[in-house]
Amino acid sequence: HFAFPQPKPSGRIVAEFDGVSKSFGEKKVLRNVSFTIERGERIALVGVNGAGKSTLIKLLAGTEAPTGGSYRLGHNVEVDYFAQDQYKELDADSRMLDDLNRVAPRSQTELRNLLGSFLFSEDDVFKKIGVLSGGERNRYALARMLLHPSNFLLLDEPTNHLDLAAVERLEAFLEGFPGAWLAICHDRAFLRRLSRRTFWLEGGVLRTLDAGFADFDRWSEKILGEEETALAKMDKRLAEEVRWLRRGVTARRRRNQGRLRRLMEMRHARAERERKTGVAAGAARPPAEASPLVTQARHAAHLAHAPGDAAENRRVPALLAPLADELHPDPDPQAPDPAPARAAARRREAHAR
């Protein structure tokens, strides 16, 4: 048996994000993310591959800077970040046993027991770190971190390259860990057993659940169902407005001016909902700042507001016709749009993996 050391206590607030955004060139990875992490919290960070989970954890670790918003650590907080390529931070010329003894002096028996639980036995403990494989070095880096832990652990795929005994040793450590930790892990059983809070990252938007990953499937299905229903209602209303638009609009009439404005607002709201949720990805293109369609729509909105030549105002339907085609290309409003259901199904499959 090996007794892991305990970290020094932190303040109640461990970390805070306030409106944090992160972009890489034109690609927006995180959008206006806000949350607070408190001492003792166990958080599962989930999302499909490419959702930005590793980016978020690097922001927490301080190895990446946010594009917008603010991030702060609490009082006496010390961060330890276990990355998927953590072995790159190790001294390749040191022997494992000597390196561990420098980090946290213990008896050779204790250190060998610890290394043995992470699949290093007998003379393996005298190997230089530089001769280990990538998987072996990651296993060693994890053992090293547990021997001298900080009070805020950020774990990116910690169970990779571990056998069952090593995973159980890691679980036992995290179960009794008094600090806060956040983990990305493809081992669903690991997250179900240990997490007590869930962060779901998708489309740059972070949702939080004050329960562990064991409740994630039920929670996410409820959210997906609500979003599909909301989009279906919005699509129905948009179809009604498009039918009205195709009959021709006289923008000089005050009532029509208001209706045109509402149509533009609805179109913007739907695109924003798609951008945030991804439920109906592919059903309609998100607005592009420099697209001809947006330019035409803005010009039409200007004509609808401005007094002047009636002939100019009658151009509004022609200008908005491409917008109508984009919003609902099928002139039959009763024709179901399968895109939301297909996209939602793809999301469920991705999360199941």
Side-chain angles (χ1 to χ4, degrees), residues 156-265:
D156 193 348
E157 299 296 350
T159 61
N160 283 359
H161 312 294
L162 301 185
D163 72 347
L164 180 59
V167 170
E168 289 175 349
R169 175 58 63 93
L170 174 61
E171 289 178 351
F173 170 82
L174 293 175
E175 192 70 59
F177 183 66
W181 57 261
L182 179 146
I184 302 169
C185 186
H186 280 85
D187 185 343
R188 293 168 66 91
F190 176 88
L191 294 179
R192 278 195 295 267
R193 282 192 292 268
L194 296 174
S195 64
R196 299 294 179 268
R197 191 180 181 194
T198 306
F199 284 5
W200 179 17
L201 185 60
E202 184 181 40
V205 178
L206 186 76
R207 297 180 179 88
T208 64
L209 171 67
D210 290 329
F213 184 71
D215 294 319
F216 173 75
D217 287 339
R218 181 171 62 251
W219 173 59
S220 60
E221 285 291 334
K222 181 174 181 290
I223 290 175
L224 289 175
E226 290 171 351
E227 289 175 351
E228 289 172 35
T229 300
L231 279 173
K233 289 180 179 178
M234 186 173 286
D235 282 344
K236 182 178 179 181
R237 178 67 189 279
L238 282 169
E240 293 171 355
E241 294 301 302
V242 167
R243 289 204 310 276
W244 166 77
L245 182 63
R246 286 198 172 99
R247 288 200 299 268
V249 181
T250 303
R252 294 284 289 177
R253 296 179 61 181
R254 188 176 300 276
R255 184 178 63 183
N256 287 353
Q257 291 176 15
R259 195 163 181 177
L260 280 168
R261 285 195 299 271
R262 288 194 297 273
L263 176 56
M264 296 297 297
E265 289 166 1

Side-chain angles (χ1 to χ4, degrees), residues 73 95 186 295 318:
L73 291 175
R95 298 191 308 176
H186 280 85
T295 302

